[in-house]
Amino acid sequence: MKEPAMPSPSTSYPALLSPWQLRRTELKNRVMFAPTCPVWVRSPYEGAFTEQAVAYYEERARGGVGMIIIGGTLINRDTLYSPFLFPGLWDDAQVEGLAAVAEAVHRHGCKISVQLLHVGLRAATAFKTDPAYDFDATWHMSAPSQVPPGEYPGALVPKELEEHEILQILDDYESAGRRAMAAGLDGVEFHMAHGYLPWQFLSPLYNLRTDGWGGSYEKRLRFSLDAMTRLRSAVGDDALLGYRINSTSFWEGDLEPTDLEQVVKDFDERLDVDYVSLSAGVHHSYIHTPMEYEEGWERGYTNRIKQVTEKPVLLVGRYTTPAAAEEALVAEDADAILLARQMFADADWVNKAAAGEEDDIRRCVAANYCWRSVTRGGRVQCVYNPTVGREAAWGSAQDAPAATARRVLVLGGGPAGLEYARVAAGAGHHVVLHEREAQTGGHTRAFGALPHRAEYARIGTWLTAQALGNGATIHTSSPVAAADLDDLLARERPDHVVVATGARVRRDGFQGQTARPLPGHETGNCVAWDEVALGAVRPEGRVLVIDDLQDVAAPLTAHALAEAGATVQILTRWPMIAMDTAPDVYLHWMLTYLYRSGVEILTDHFVKEIAGDAVTVFNIYDPERTRELAADWIVMATGRQSENGLYHALRERGVSVEMIGDAVAPRGTYEATFEGHRAARKLEGLAAPAAA
């Protein structure tokens, strides 16, 4: 695979790549890896970093960033952030793992800090109620007042903190700061953004107290002032101490930008801090913004804070290109740029920017698979960078050219086949890929054709460009049928064939409820959602969209058709539309689009029969209650079926062949790119080709 380029002295980004100083710490550039989910622990109960954490953070330091801020690190056991696998600094036993990370990061001239976190009312009790855990663990959340989180249903009401408990938490911050210094870090960051405990004390929405910790502005400010004063004492005069705070909340009744400007000014006057890091939104719909948000969308909010502080300001906001980051610095909207999701997508972002290889950057498309993987209790993953969390085996330091080059034939140019071609060609193998359609990309192209999802198509575009750049040959508009195989094999003489022919969306409404097509589907004007998205068909008039997948396909197809003038209903047997987009933090946006475009939503219903342009549906909880819907067109977002006939035909011929991606089983982009990557790395281990 292509080696990441090292920075050169000449650059198109003089501001971005300029060295600077924070307090007494010299930083080699103005790019920082933002504090993100640090899920590289053996278990949440131990909260100690593993060797996986060392490889993960070293990969990003090797990629050129000036400083890494390790994300939310818990200051005591009571604030376990279930179901997240977060580290802690509540115990001396946690210092060793953090020290190993710091040592690895420092080897590459990168500085490192840690963000200290108490989540308050946003903790959860699932971990602590495990019978295998401590019987004396607290089975409640703790917060300034008994105000539950407002962003999800069934939220538990927290215990109101007592005076002695508040003082203990302040002690815990101080102890965590000392442990960070013992681990050899360059500084700490106080996390008071995103609605966590310090924000809960600061905000009148959450703090309803009338004692010395609430009521007036001064009393609500007290907790953060005391915590950061203690932290400065703990880390000493040389180390960095910064804080992260919201520039705005996007929540009615919470702190507004003018309130936060005053907070920052007061911190400037009363605290010995070194920077302010800004983020927008206490709700994850804004923290993990959707792909339609432009780069630097937070600049205006951040600039307001920059106007009132003398401290350096760190800017985040879906930055994916060095040009946009450079422009923000030149405009003096910030002093440094934080990259969060972009650092999952491409750890070599800085090195590529410095070398003038911007087109090689794997840009974050804001699919939010990273957050999805964490909220399910797993590790951070990227929808199309399979090396995340696997850096020890698949990181850039492990890349090497193949000792024996093989001839490989790849059938299918979706994300699985393209990733295979990219990796295999990058290792020096001879790769030829055939794609049936006029364009590569597979399902990423269909999803990218939906409204508000254009960025998703970038996945297929980037993979194609990288495969070609690595030396692969790609033939588009080149369908391969079973009858063509013998001639193709004779012409290409492959040592190995990879079938990555994907899956098709069923037009007949096949789904898991009945494991059959919908009755009467052949009588209706039934089409698949991807046909609509790609413009193969243009439904109009009365349109019924049937959603069994619960992803973005049905709601965005319905939204697009309604915006084009159709009368649209969307039907699902589930209690709501787009349920599976909640872990990706897209549910808020899906429902917003549907309601604003006037789509009628019909939940808890299933199709009994299609009879031409009449569709009889029934309530799944009261099957005798039926309703007839008129539909000139019926758009199916139901089942998918693998297309893998070529694999079986090749097996019958005794050819060295394997199958990857949706051809194996219909899934998503993450699984497709992972399987393509894994298979390509195993290519050299195949049996040696026969002598010619």
Side-chain angles (χ1 to χ4, degrees):
M1 273 170 271
K2 185 161 60 177
E3 289 290 324
M6 297 305 293
S8 61
S10 61
T11 175
S12 300
Y13 312 107
L16 188 67
L17 300 181
S18 63
W20 64 307
Q21 185 169 316
L22 264 180
R23 203 176 184 88
R24 297 175 179 85
T25 300
E26 296 286 341
L27 302 176
K28 62 184 179 181
N29 57 51
R30 294 175 183 265
V31 184
M32 297 184 182
F33 182 18
T36 57
C37 305
V39 291
W40 316 108
V41 297
R42 276 183 296 273
S43 82
Y45 304 117
E46 296 177 32
F49 273 145
T50 64
E51 285 301 310
Q52 185 181 30
V54 176
Y56 171 81
Y57 286 110
E58 184 172 14
E59 184 80 354
R60 278 130 193 96
R62 186 184 290 114
V65 295
M67 187 163 88
I68 291 171
I69 306 173
I70 293 175
T73 299
L74 305 175
I75 63 165
N76 66 36
R77 297 176 73 203
D78 287 339
T79 192
L80 286 178
Y81 199 5
S82 170
F84 306 149
L85 302 172
F86 278 20
L89 275 176
W90 68 76
D91 192 291
D92 290 344
Q94 295 161 331
V95 171
E96 182 180 358
L98 185 57
V101 170
E103 181 182 1
V105 166
H106 283 151
R107 279 198 292 267
H108 302 278
C110 180
K111 304 303 180 182
I112 185 167
S113 180
V114 65
Q115 184 186 70
L116 301 179
L117 173 65
H118 192 299
V119 298
L121 61 85
R122 286 182 169 80
T125 60
F127 281 151
K128 294 187 283 187
T129 58
D130 187 333
Y133 189 51
D134 184 359
F135 281 25
D136 294 322
T138 56
W139 280 26
H140 58 259
M141 304 175 293
S142 298
S145 303
Q146 287 201 313
V147 178
E151 60 264 37
Y152 53 88
L156 298 177
V157 176
K159 175 188 184 294
E160 183 173 302
L161 285 164
E162 301 173 52
E163 174 86 11
H164 72 275
E165 293 173 313
I166 296 172
L167 296 175
Q168 181 59 57
I169 290 171
L170 292 171
D171 286 345
D172 293 338
Y173 273 111
E174 193 170 355
S175 298
R178 290 197 182 96
R179 292 187 181 100
M181 294 301 99
L185 271 66
D186 300 293
V188 298
E189 180 176 283
F190 181 63
H191 194 358
M192 58 181 301
H194 303 162
Y196 295 126
L197 184 66
W199 183 272
Q200 293 158 30
F201 271 101
L202 187 63
S203 170
L205 180 66
Y206 301 104
N207 189 342
L208 308 181
R209 303 174 75 100
T210 57
D211 62 1
W213 300 96
S216 70
Y217 167 73
E218 283 294 328
K219 290 177 180 178
R220 287 186 282 109
L221 195 65
R222 177 184 170 189
F223 180 85
S224 294
L225 288 172
D226 285 5
M228 283 190 272
T229 299
R230 285 172 175 245
L231 279 172
R232 173 52 71 195
S233 174
V235 302
D237 193 50
D238 291 334
L240 294 172
L241 171 59
Y243 65 96
R244 193 167 212 202
I245 191 170
N246 279 100
S247 56
T248 184
S249 66
F250 295 124
W251 196 280
E252 187 176 352
D254 207 339
L255 295 167
E256 299 292 342
T258 51
D259 302 318
L260 295 158
E261 290 166 23
Q262 185 60 52
V263 171
V264 170
K265 286 193 287 188
D266 286 334
F267 285 170
D268 270 14
E269 293 175 4
R270 305 188 204 183
L271 294 170
D272 183 10
V273 292
D274 301 306
Y275 67 82
V276 53
S277 174
L278 278 305
S279 182
V282 297
H283 192 292
H284 283 280
S285 294
Y286 291 97
I287 299 169
H288 310 284
T289 44
M291 57 186 68
E292 68 184 281
Y293 273 49
E294 64 182 11
E295 292 186 80
W297 72 272
E298 294 187 34
R299 280 176 63 178
Y301 299 105
T302 299
N303 183 267
R304 290 185 59 166
I305 299 296
K306 188 161 174 56
Q307 299 306 311
V308 301
T309 181
E310 297 297 321
K311 305 297 181 182
V313 170
L314 313 185
L315 169 65
V316 74
R318 228 184 85 64
Y319 280 100
T320 64
T321 65
E326 174 76 9
E327 198 274 327
L329 294 177
V330 171
E332 299 185 349
D333 285 330
D335 299 282
I337 301 296
L338 293 164
L339 300 181
R341 291 174 288 179
Q342 180 56 54
M343 277 287 106
F344 304 149
D346 197 332
D348 290 318
W349 191 92
V350 176
N351 285 347
K352 289 176 180 177
E357 298 174 351
E358 299 90 337
D359 290 344
D360 289 334
I361 290 173
R362 183 193 285 108
R363 292 173 60 180
C364 170
V365 299
N368 287 341
Y369 194 88
C370 47
W371 184 242
R372 179 187 188 89
S373 61
V374 171
T375 57
R376 295 187 300 182
R379 319 283 183 183
V380 165
Q381 297 290 279
C382 173
V383 72
Y384 77 123
N385 181 8
T387 69
V388 175
R390 303 175 180 91
E391 291 84 3
W394 290 356
S396 58
Q398 315 306 320
D399 291 343
T404 304
R406 306 295 170 89
R407 296 179 61 86
V408 189
L409 175 62
V410 180
L411 302 178
L418 289 171
E419 176 69 359
Y420 187 102
R422 181 187 76 85
V423 175
H429 298 290
H430 178 79
V431 180
V432 175
L433 183 149
H434 287 262
E435 164 57 35
R436 175 183 59 194
E437 303 294 335
Q439 294 175 265
T440 55
H443 68 244
T444 67
R445 191 163 61 87
F447 280 107
L450 291 168
H452 311 290
R453 299 289 287 188
E455 282 287 291
Y456 208 83
R458 191 181 298 280
I459 296 174
T461 302
W462 185 86
L463 289 171
T464 300
Q466 294 298 301
L468 290 169
N470 286 348
T473 299
I474 296 178
H475 299 288
T476 54
S477 300
S478 181
V480 176
D484 305 322
L485 286 176
D486 291 332
D487 287 344
L488 183 61
L489 293 171
R491 185 168 69 250
E492 298 293 350
R493 297 180 294 108
D495 301 313
H496 187 60
V497 182
V498 177
V499 175
T501 42
R504 63 181 174 87
V505 180
R506 297 279 294 254
R507 295 181 183 176
D508 57 11
F510 183 94
Q511 30 54 52
Q513 175 79 6
T514 64
R516 299 289 186 278
L518 294 177
H521 68 88
E522 68 281 358
T523 70
N525 200 5
C526 297
V527 296
W529 75 264
D530 58 341
E531 294 178 287
V532 179
L534 293 169
V537 294
R538 299 188 182 279
E540 55 187 7
R542 301 164 302 178
V543 181
L544 175 65
V545 178
I546 300 176
D547 179 19
D548 205 65
L549 300 177
Q550 291 290 300
D551 60 8
V552 302
L556 290 183
T557 302
H559 165 64
L561 292 171
E563 291 292 300
T567 301
V568 183
Q569 295 172 303
I570 185 168
L571 176 141
T572 185
R573 62 189 168 101
W574 303 108
M576 62 190 297
I577 294 293
M579 285 194 302
D580 198 47
T581 67
D584 305 328
V585 208
Y586 271 95
L587 178 61
H588 170 92
W589 307 106
M590 294 302 106
L591 296 178
T592 298
Y593 302 144
L594 287 173
Y595 282 116
R596 287 181 178 173
S597 57
V599 173
E600 181 185 350
I601 298 172
L602 185 59
T603 60
D604 301 330
H605 281 71
F606 193 64
V607 173
K608 182 177 183 179
E609 183 182 20
I610 299 171
D613 61 359
V615 182
T616 303
V617 301
F618 65 93
N619 187 298
I620 61 170
Y621 301 108
D622 185 5
E624 297 303 313
R625 182 180 297 179
T626 62
R627 176 178 174 183
E628 188 170 292
L629 307 177
D632 301 310
W633 292 80
I634 302 168
V635 180
M636 301 294 186
T638 53
R640 292 192 293 154
Q641 184 172 4
S642 296
E643 295 192 314
N644 51 29
L646 293 179
Y647 168 77
H648 298 291
L650 288 161
R651 289 268 297 179
E652 290 171 0
R653 287 167 168 78
V655 172
S656 175
V657 62
E658 66 183 312
M659 183 167 49
I660 59 175
D662 286 352
V664 177
R667 289 157 294 161
T669 308
Y670 170 72
E671 293 85 358
T673 52
F674 171 79
E675 289 181 3
H677 193 101
R678 178 180 61 184
R681 284 186 177 270
K682 291 180 176 180
L683 178 57
E684 194 170 3
L686 296 175

